[in-house]
Amino acid sequence: MSDKIIQLNEDLIKHDLKDLVRNSVEETLNALLDKEADELVNAEKYERSSNRQGYRSGHYKRNLHTTAGEVELKVPKLKGIPFETAIIERYRRRESSVEEALIEMYLAGVSVRRVEDITEALWGTKVSPGTISNLNKKAYEHIETWRTRPLSGDYPYVYVDGVYLKRSWGGEIQNVSILVAIGVSQDGCREILGAAEGMKEDRESWRSFFVWLKERGLTGVRLIIGDKNLGMLETIPEVFPDARYQRCTVHFYRNIFSVTPRNKMKAVALMLKAIHAQESKEAAREKALQISEKLQSMKLAKAAKKVEDGIEETLTYMDFPTQHWSRIRTNNTIERLNREIKRRTKAIGAFPDGQSALMLVCVQMSTTFLHC
């Protein structure tokens, strides 16, 4: 394996993920142009109607440069009436605002009323609920194609976690968990492997998630890094028998801080860090024993007990190349993504269903890694 295990897969970012957004922008704008043409003609394509105001006469192509890349517009040509559209000109003057509106359409948790308000503010007229629904479906198709793509090659290190979002269910607000996996390939590149709805992060949810990844081609897993979750721990040996588990050291510290008085947290933090600063697993175990005894003398019996019970599962990374240690002993790779997802979802509130939440996470994964 490469010494530099955390790198950006620039080819994936510049092509696959960027194309996903660009294609969705292109389809959305063309759908809106067709809708405008239907409204001007007062009839849909091939519709026989006495109220028809004009006829379609094909279209002409026009390139438009956007922040998502250059898109090809198919501008309708009409007979009997001129085709005048506000979308392109408004888009030119207010590109960033329209980009935000399009992204909102990708995030399926945004209500139809919200999208209508955005389009009215940008273009002066509301897009119908039916049109919004169709646009979201098209965006979902692109996202789903990327989310379920085949995986090739080995991924020795895999980071996993679940992020909780709010959803509406029977008039109540409930939590929905989205399980996320990020892998590190043999050449050291970080890649998003997948995301799936996990309900409550129970054993069956984790098992289904791991089996789904494996069926798509995930192989060569040697280490799975994540927070301690009994459902996940029970499933790893079943689905990936050759993989080992590394408990995130940061979450381990937080678990100990939960039973530590505030005025002693700084001292305890320094002691815990000393354990994982050792040069070998044997030295770390010995240091952990000393720390446990020290905590006992400080009358922190609960903290000492947590160190004794949990230290071993935080030292698995020491059986791997030393140059990888600092990157594989924590789950910070996914934690950063989770924080950005939580920040973006504050404005949305509750999603109408789990699928909506899943689509947002997939879109956010692409945009977050574009800015790494």
Side-chain angles (χ1 to χ4, degrees):
M1 286 187 62
S2 169
D3 290 350
K4 300 178 180 178
I5 68 162
I6 302 296
Q7 302 177 15
L8 293 181
N9 191 329
E10 295 183 359
D11 184 69
L12 178 66
I13 291 173
K14 292 180 179 178
H15 297 86
D16 294 3
L17 297 181
K18 190 170 182 178
D19 283 348
L20 182 152
V21 177
R22 183 182 57 79
N23 290 339
S24 293
V25 170
E26 186 176 274
E27 286 194 11
T28 298
L29 289 175
N30 282 323
L32 291 173
L33 288 171
D34 278 337
K35 186 64 178 179
E36 276 195 330
D38 290 341
E39 291 175 352
L40 288 171
V41 173
N42 201 27
E44 295 183 357
K45 288 182 179 179
Y46 313 115
E47 179 185 358
R48 296 181 179 276
S49 172
S50 59
N51 297 323
R52 178 182 287 276
Q53 301 297 314
Y55 295 87
R56 285 177 174 267
S57 181
H59 63 265
Y60 65 91
K61 296 180 180 179
R62 176 177 178 179
N63 292 332
L64 180 66
H65 183 74
T66 74
T67 55
E70 190 173 82
V71 299
E72 184 179 88
L73 300 181
K74 297 179 180 179
V75 183
K77 293 192 294 184
L78 305 179
K79 284 184 178 180
I81 56 173
F83 178 69
E84 296 179 356
T85 174
I87 293 176
I88 297 177
E89 293 305 317
R90 290 291 180 95
Y91 191 86
R92 282 184 179 277
R93 293 197 297 268
R94 304 181 61 180
E95 180 178 7
S96 61
S97 296
V98 176
E99 186 79 7
E100 291 173 8
L102 294 172
I103 291 297
E104 292 281 358
M105 293 179 185
Y106 306 148
L107 309 184
V110 179
S111 67
V112 172
R113 180 177 298 177
R114 170 63 174 155
V115 177
E116 287 177 346
D117 291 342
I118 292 173
T119 55
E120 183 175 31
L122 294 173
W123 303 319
T125 57
K126 288 186 177 182
V127 177
S128 69
T131 300
I132 294 172
S133 177
N134 291 334
L135 294 177
N136 278 340
K137 288 179 181 178
K138 289 184 178 180
Y140 287 173
E141 290 174 4
H142 286 290
I143 296 170
E144 189 65 12
T145 298
W146 172 79
R147 191 181 73 88
T148 59
R149 73 196 184 282
L151 301 173
S152 60
D154 292 343
Y155 295 87
Y157 301 142
V158 176
Y159 302 85
V160 296
D161 199 5
V163 56
Y164 279 94
L165 302 175
K166 300 292 184 181
R167 61 167 289 185
S168 300
W169 182 261
E172 297 181 354
I173 303 299
Q174 297 182 351
N175 288 328
V176 57
S177 176
I178 303 298
L179 305 182
V180 180
I182 297 177
V184 179
S185 62
Q186 285 282 10
D187 58 5
C189 289
R190 176 177 52 183
E191 181 180 338
I192 300 166
L193 301 179
E197 187 176 350
M199 297 306 291
K200 297 181 179 180
E201 284 197 77
D202 55 9
R203 185 181 187 279
E204 188 55 37
S205 294
W206 278 110
R207 184 184 182 282
S208 298
F209 183 55
F210 285 147
V211 169
W212 175 67
L213 291 173
K214 195 169 185 177
E215 289 176 344
R216 287 173 47 221
L218 177 59
T219 58
V221 181
R222 296 169 53 198
L223 184 68
I224 295 178
I225 306 103
D227 189 16
K228 188 170 186 178
N229 179 286
L230 293 180
M232 179 182 67
L233 292 178
E234 293 174 354
T235 305
I236 290 175
E238 179 182 349
V239 183
F240 298 106
D242 297 328
R244 302 179 63 188
Y245 166 67
Q246 165 64 34
R247 183 179 180 182
C248 174
T249 56
V250 173
H251 285 89
F252 175 63
Y253 295 167
R254 291 173 184 169
N255 186 246
I256 295 173
F257 293 156
S258 67
V259 294
T260 302
R262 184 175 295 274
N263 62 350
K264 295 182 180 180
M265 281 188 181
K266 187 174 181 179
V268 173
L270 292 174
M271 288 189 283
L272 294 176
K273 290 179 180 179
I275 298 175
H276 298 99
Q278 301 303 308
E279 71 281 1
S280 67
K281 181 178 285 190
E282 291 72 20
R285 287 171 176 158
E286 184 177 345
K287 190 67 175 178
L289 182 60
Q290 296 173 5
I291 296 301
S292 178
E293 293 173 351
K294 177 66 174 177
L295 292 173
Q296 291 282 4
S297 68
M298 296 169 62
K299 297 184 179 180
L300 298 176
K302 291 184 179 180
K305 176 66 173 173
K306 287 182 178 292
V307 171
E308 294 170 4
D309 294 344
I311 192 61
E312 191 64 29
E313 60 194 4
T314 72
L315 302 178
T316 312
Y317 73 93
M318 289 185 168
D319 293 329
F320 293 83
T322 55
Q323 61 268 32
H324 299 171
W325 284 9
S326 63
R327 298 291 190 176
I328 63 175
R329 66 187 180 194
T330 73
N331 208 23
N332 289 346
T333 298
I334 288 187
E335 284 295 308
R336 175 187 173 187
L337 174 62
N338 287 350
R339 287 194 298 270
E340 184 63 18
I341 290 172
K342 290 292 183 67
R343 183 185 70 81
R344 290 287 299 272
T345 54
K346 283 183 180 179
I348 296 174
F351 293 87
D353 51 49
Q355 178 71 4
S356 300
L358 176 60
M359 291 298 102
L360 177 140
V361 170
C362 290
V363 171
Q364 188 57 51
M365 285 193 296
S366 65
T367 55
T368 296
F369 276 82
L370 283 172
H371 295 87
C372 282

